[in-house]
Amino acid sequence: MAGTGLVGGEVAVDTLPYFDQGHEAPGVWEAAVVLVEEKTHRYQPTNDYLSYLIALDYSAFETNIMRNESERLAARQPIELLSMKWYELPVPSLGQKNDITAWQECVNNSMVHLEHQAVRIENLELMSQHGCDAWKVYSENLVHMIEHAQKELQKLRKHIQDLNWQQKNMQLKAGSKLREMESNWVSLVSTNYDIERTIVQLENEVFHMKQQHGEVNKENIRQDF
């Protein structure tokens, strides 16, 4: 927490969480909430504190199909049914039953479908031969990526832990120093109080001695007369 009444962007720490005690005392939580709200209203960032981070590209792995599907969901449109038109083999219409060109187009269309199915069969055969090895390579790459990410995560966690330990050590040293200074302050205040009380006693004794000395002088003067 930072104290108020500061100039020039300075920050005065007025709490040491690792050293302070009595957090469960009545009223402490409410006081902390008030300080947090005060800090929130007072804090005005002068620049973008996230500017050093790389801008995220949310569409880096987005395909056209994914983009279209996201737009469909955003527009609340129903999903399109699976079209079977590609698998249809239409015949010439009644008016083209005797048209050789129309029949030739139908034959060409059926040959295209047959070639497409042949290519799919070849792809399946290739996948049956090399799919396992390709999947193993892909899995190994995923494992390496996971291991690298875990190492980076461990580094970050260790860095955070080191920072926490550093803050804890600094706060414990500062707390011990503050407690020592507080003890010295109490000792000095007590000594000053004892000195002031002794001075008052001495002043009273001097006053009484002056009074007694004055009465003796008066008595001596009476006796002389």
Side-chain angles (χ1 to χ4, degrees):
M1 306 301 292
T4 59
L6 300 177
V7 294
E10 297 178 356
V11 177
V13 179
D14 55 13
T15 182
L16 300 175
Y18 287 105
F19 183 81
D20 294 338
Q21 298 178 356
H23 301 292
E24 303 298 331
V28 174
W29 177 261
E30 290 76 9
V33 171
V34 172
L35 291 175
V36 171
E37 292 179 352
E38 180 184 355
K39 175 67 175 180
T40 303
H41 293 304
R42 190 174 66 254
Y43 176 70
Q44 296 180 355
T46 56
N47 53 8
D48 185 7
Y49 59 90
L50 298 178
S51 59
Y52 69 96
L53 296 176
I54 300 175
L56 297 178
D57 185 8
Y58 296 101
S59 60
F61 303 97
E62 190 178 74
T63 62
N64 292 331
I65 296 177
M66 295 172 61
R67 188 180 299 108
N68 295 334
E69 185 66 14
S70 298
E71 294 176 355
R72 182 191 67 80
L73 292 175
R76 298 181 180 276
Q77 297 178 355
I79 188 172
E80 295 182 3
L81 300 178
L82 182 62
S83 177
M84 303 299 292
K85 187 176 181 179
W86 170 256
Y87 300 96
E88 296 177 358
L89 293 175
V91 297
S93 61
L94 295 177
Q96 296 178 334
K97 290 292 184 179
N98 299 322
D99 189 351
I100 298 177
T101 304
W103 281 104
Q104 187 64 41
E105 291 179 355
C106 291
V107 172
N108 292 337
N109 185 26
S110 62
M111 293 178 63
V112 169
H113 281 74
L114 289 174
E115 184 64 22
H116 174 68
Q117 295 299 327
V119 171
R120 293 185 63 183
I121 292 173
E122 291 179 359
N123 289 334
L124 291 174
E125 291 177 351
L126 290 173
M127 187 176 67
S128 64
Q129 295 176 6
H130 308 287
C132 293
D133 295 334
W135 182 256
K136 288 179 181 179
V137 173
Y138 175 73
S139 300
E140 291 176 357
N141 291 333
L142 286 180
V143 170
H144 292 319
M145 292 174 62
I146 293 174
E147 291 177 351
H148 178 71
Q150 288 178 346
K151 290 180 180 178
E152 292 297 323
L153 178 60
Q154 293 298 327
K155 289 181 181 179
L156 289 175
R157 287 178 175 175
K158 185 178 183 302
H159 181 63
I160 293 173
Q161 186 177 7
D162 292 340
L163 288 177
N164 290 334
W165 278 109
Q166 183 180 0
Q167 289 184 355
K168 182 177 181 179
N169 292 332
M170 291 175 60
Q171 291 186 17
L172 291 177
K173 291 180 180 178
S176 299
K177 185 64 176 179
L178 288 173
R179 180 167 292 177
E180 180 182 355
M181 294 172 64
E182 182 181 6
S183 178
N184 293 335
W185 178 81
V186 172
S187 178
L188 291 174
V189 170
S190 300
T191 302
N192 289 336
Y193 175 75
D194 294 336
I195 292 173
E196 290 179 358
R197 185 178 61 179
T198 303
I199 291 173
V200 172
Q201 291 177 354
L202 291 174
E203 289 177 348
N204 291 333
E205 291 179 1
V206 170
F207 178 75
H208 290 304
M209 290 175 64
K210 286 181 178 181
Q211 284 185 340
Q212 293 177 359
H213 184 67
E215 293 176 356
V216 171
N217 289 336
K218 288 180 182 180
E219 184 66 27
N220 292 332
I221 292 171
R222 288 198 202 96
Q223 291 178 1
D224 292 338
F225 288 101

